[in-house]
Amino acid sequence: MNDTVTIGGDLTVNRLGYGAMQLTGRQVWGEYPDRDGGIDLLRRIVDAGVNFIDTADVYGPHTNEILIHDALHPYPEGLVIATKGGFVRGGFELSTLDAVGNKNYLRQSARLSARRLGVDQLDLYYLHSGQATDVPFEEQVATLAELREEGLIRHIGLSNVTLDQFRQAQQIVEIAAVTAHYNVTVRTGQDLFDAAEKTGAVVSPWHPVSLTDGDKTEQAAAVLEPIAKQYGVSLRQVALAWQLQRSPAVLPIPGTTSFEHFQENLAAAAITLAPEEMAAITGIAG
């Protein structure tokens, strides 16, 4: 198994990243309650070797990007920070989440993310949603392509998109990364995963270690428990090891607010599952 993955042909990062979304308030709204603890966690994670961090402007909103800046800026050499734009949040309730594709809104979002993160260029910038209806999807991608031409964005990613949208975007600009709902129990992003992998794009799966998505929870436990017992690890560690071995294009970004849980995730990268174990896990939702 490769220990690294390369984004856009020139950004090589370690295979296990960190998703920072949980470092916000309840329901991903407001400041993370233990700000000093969040700063300490981010620093310890980077010190442990993680050099890919995923965030978004809607996390907080904005507080997550600011926390990453305050914890890690000036950034160590080789640290890649991915962020996203296109979602808006009107309040604490998740029902206020919406998507906006307006050209100047997206341009503003990218520029303000760069300002909050303290960078001149965003390493990887995702369109956070393909669900905006105010502007055609292709025009939203074209806006990010313009920002790439201008140098604000280095590489473009897509999140919450369909396979057709991914293919439409490819006709406009190179897509370096996608996110897809893909784990042991749910593979709704399988077609997108496969298409992205063929183009050389990196795939960051949603809920990479979740065992309760969908209706395969009991089946997953029956398969994973004997494997976990054999290796002396947790079910989630087996799930993460499976993710890492499934494809060299996968860049999991499990999130946690606990350094101990983070260390467990790191340890999962050292597990090498046998082919028959990989096949059994794949078959859960295959």
Side-chain angles (χ1 to χ4, degrees), residues 7-286:
I7 303 165
D10 62 0
L11 291 178
T12 299
V13 297
N14 295 328
R15 284 289 306 284
L16 192 64
Y18 175 71
M21 184 178 72
Q22 291 188 34
L23 297 180
T24 56
R26 191 161 59 91
Q27 292 194 169
V28 200
W29 180 261
E31 296 277 358
Y32 184 56
D34 182 9
R35 194 171 194 278
D36 289 344
I39 287 174
D40 179 66
L41 177 63
L42 285 164
R43 289 174 178 170
R44 294 178 73 184
I45 285 171
V46 170
D47 286 345
V50 166
N51 57 0
F52 181 84
I53 295 177
D54 178 90
T55 183
D57 65 356
V58 78
Y59 299 164
H62 306 166
T63 61
N64 201 241
E65 290 178 328
I66 293 169
L67 186 69
I68 290 168
H69 169 275
D70 292 353
L72 302 172
H73 194 277
Y75 303 114
E77 184 176 356
L79 178 65
V80 173
I81 298 175
T83 192
K84 314 176 193 73
F87 269 141
V88 292
R89 184 83 177 269
F92 176 77
E93 297 302 329
L94 293 173
S95 60
T96 66
L97 184 69
D98 203 355
V100 175
N102 177 277
K103 178 176 182 176
N104 285 324
Y105 176 76
L106 291 179
R107 290 179 65 88
Q108 172 181 280
S109 295
R111 293 190 183 282
L112 291 181
S113 282
R115 184 186 300 176
R116 285 188 291 271
L117 290 168
V119 296
D120 294 324
Q121 184 180 64
L122 297 162
D123 293 324
L124 174 60
Y125 190 76
Y126 288 90
L127 181 65
H128 205 163
S129 173
Q131 301 166 17
T133 58
D134 59 323
V135 173
F137 176 75
E138 298 92 324
E139 292 183 21
Q140 299 171 54
V141 176
T143 296
L144 299 194
E146 288 177 5
L147 291 171
R148 185 170 181 253
E149 284 292 316
E150 294 169 14
L152 181 66
I153 295 172
R154 186 166 183 171
H155 295 298
I156 294 172
L158 298 174
S159 182
N160 297 289
V161 299
T162 65
L163 175 59
D164 286 344
Q165 287 175 325
F166 172 70
R167 289 173 172 162
Q168 290 168 21
Q170 282 185 294
Q171 303 302 310
I172 299 167
V173 68
E174 179 185 355
I175 301 301
V178 300
T179 70
H181 195 180
Y182 189 88
N183 57 38
V184 165
T185 57
V186 170
R187 317 276 167 77
T188 53
Q190 183 71 63
D191 56 353
L192 180 60
F193 187 120
D194 293 342
E197 185 179 24
K198 289 177 182 177
T199 69
V202 167
V203 181
S204 281
W206 297 352
H207 302 170
V209 298
S210 175
L211 302 174
T212 57
D213 294 352
D215 58 1
K216 303 288 186 178
T217 298
E218 291 184 6
Q219 187 175 342
V223 173
L224 294 177
E225 283 175 359
I227 298 174
K229 184 177 181 179
Q230 177 184 341
Y231 290 92
V233 297
S234 69
L235 302 188
R236 289 177 180 270
Q237 284 176 299
V238 174
L240 185 52
W242 172 82
Q243 288 275 16
L244 290 165
Q245 285 182 234
R246 277 282 282 165
S247 166
V250 171
L251 175 55
I253 49 170
T256 179
T257 60
S258 162
F259 188 68
E260 289 70 26
H261 289 166
F262 164 75
Q263 290 177 308
E264 290 179 6
N265 291 337
L266 277 186
I271 300 168
T272 301
L273 298 171
E276 59 272 19
E277 294 167 336
M278 288 292 297
I281 297 169
T282 300
I284 293 169

